């Protein structure tokens, strides 16, 4: 099969011919129909974050089950599925509490030593890695059944693939982590793919004041399509002061979706007494956030919380988001900026790095 491979840190995406094994045990072979280009894959390519190369990146995938291992119980050939990068064992303390996104043994979704590789170059001498156990920039993927969620057949693949990361991360932070309720006020700093999903999630949750913050006017205007009620260009005005003006004191919850120190601190400062700031953005290793513990953290009973994968249980949440989309209540259509081929991954990421893309590029031609 064909896959888009990155050979080393900072390398380019290029299409190669690789081989894929048959599913074993609880593995599912998925014929990929759509795969989204998330900014996190670009961060991993450029910064590493401890992941091994060469690697098949891509963690937003949707497709059709082509074959199943002999221990698979959840899926059958022909099922439509979405992959999710949350890897969980199902038996550790966090998993038993329903917090699969905090699993203590995510490696159990991968093959053990001596079981052979899932994917490999034809010479079989070079080990290839699947990012997050997925490797979605390819024609097919071997995925543990715990990392897949079934979706209705009428759900289109190019929208479905976004559910596995962009939606569960953005909307999940709103719904699962912050528990936003009807009438609440929220601010979202960063209107990329995850930020737009957070705005959508706030609308679904019933927030009445949804403030989108960015430095690009075109992105801010675009955020209106997802439910933003107010727009703040932080390059032109102080976002903390503006948010406090709009809300008469601060938002119930602020969400940072960029990964910068300054914006994370702004998120904390723009919340009201008793409010919370939620850090979603993928920061550079070593990034520190500074807040005054007495005046705001303690004196105003604010809280600052890191969010991983929108506190998501993807077996429950992905089908829920698919239903919301099919009911016309969750905007995924406008997230798709362009459809590309597997050979165009590098070009699309170049465009993303240059700020030319609003939303997602999605591979639909393999």
């Amino acid at each position: 099969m064909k896959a888009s491979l990155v050979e080393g840190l900072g390398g380019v995406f290029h299409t190669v011919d690789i081989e894929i094994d048959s599913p074993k045990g609880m593995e599912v072979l998925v014929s990929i129909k759509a795969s989204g280009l998330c900014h996190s894959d670009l961060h991993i390519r450029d910064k590493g974050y401890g992941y091994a190369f060469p690697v098949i990146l891509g963690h937003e995938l949707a497709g059709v089950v082509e074959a199943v291992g002999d221990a698979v119980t959840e899926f059958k050939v022909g099922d439509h599925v979405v992959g999710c990068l949350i890897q969980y064992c199902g038996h550790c303390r966090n998993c038993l509490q329903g917090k699969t996104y905090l699993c203590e043994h995510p490696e159990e979704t991968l093959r053990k030593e001596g079981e052979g590789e899932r994917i490999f170059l034809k010479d079989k001498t070079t080990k290839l890695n699947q990012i997050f156990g997925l490797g979605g920039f390819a024609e097919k993927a071997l995925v543990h059944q715990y990392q897949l969620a079934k979706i209705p057949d009428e759900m289109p693949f190019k929208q479905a693939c976004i559910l596995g990361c962009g939606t569960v991360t953005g909307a999940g932070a709103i719904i699962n982590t912050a528990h936003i309720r009807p009438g609440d006020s929220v601010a979202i700093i960063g209107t990329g793919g995850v930020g737009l999903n957070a705005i959508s999630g706030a609308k679904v949750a019933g927030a009445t004041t949804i403030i989108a913050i960015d430095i690009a006017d075109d992105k801010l205007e675009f955020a209106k399509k997802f439910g933003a009620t107010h727009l703040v260009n932080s390059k032109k005005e102080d976002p903390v002061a503006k948010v406090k003006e709009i809300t008469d004191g601060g938002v119930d919850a602020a969400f940072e979706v960029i990964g910068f120190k300054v914006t994370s601190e702004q998120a904390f400062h723009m919340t009201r007494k008793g409010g919370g700031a939620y850090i979603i953005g993928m920061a550079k290793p070593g990034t520190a956030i500074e807040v005054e513990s007495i005046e705001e953290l303690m004196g105003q009973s604010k809280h600052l919380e890191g969010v991983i994968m929108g506190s998501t249980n993807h077996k429950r949440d992905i089908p829920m988001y698919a239903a919301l989309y099919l009911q016309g209540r969750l905007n995924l259509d406008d997230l798709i900026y362009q459809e590309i081929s597997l050979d165009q991954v590098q070009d699309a990421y170049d465009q993303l790095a240059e700020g030319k893309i609003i939303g997602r590029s999605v591979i639909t031609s393999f």
Side-chain angles (χ1 to χ4, degrees), residues 99-113:
K99 301 176 182 178
T100 54
Y101 54 93
L102 293 177
C103 177
E104 297 169 8
H105 304 290
E107 73 283 351
E108 290 191 14
T109 59
L110 304 175
R111 289 188 177 182
K112 297 180 177 61
E113 191 72 29

Side-chain angles (χ1 to χ4, degrees), residues 85-103:
L85 61 160
I86 295 174
Q87 299 169 263
Y88 68 92
C89 68
H91 59 77
C92 71
R93 178 174 56 184
N94 285 329
C95 283
L96 293 175
Q97 292 177 348
K99 301 176 182 178
T100 54
Y101 54 93
L102 293 177
C103 177

Side-chain angles (χ1 to χ4, degrees), residues 268-269 290-298:
F268 182 75
H269 294 314
E290 298 177 79
V291 298
E292 294 184 13
S293 62
I294 299 298
E295 182 179 350
E296 288 191 84
L297 194 64
M298 295 175 63

Side-chain angles (χ1 to χ4, degrees), residues 142-155:
L142 264 179
V143 183
H144 195 285
Q145 72 170 354
Y146 285 178
Q147 287 190 256
L148 296 171
K150 188 175 178 181
I151 57 169
D153 289 354
E154 60 268 32
M155 181 75 190

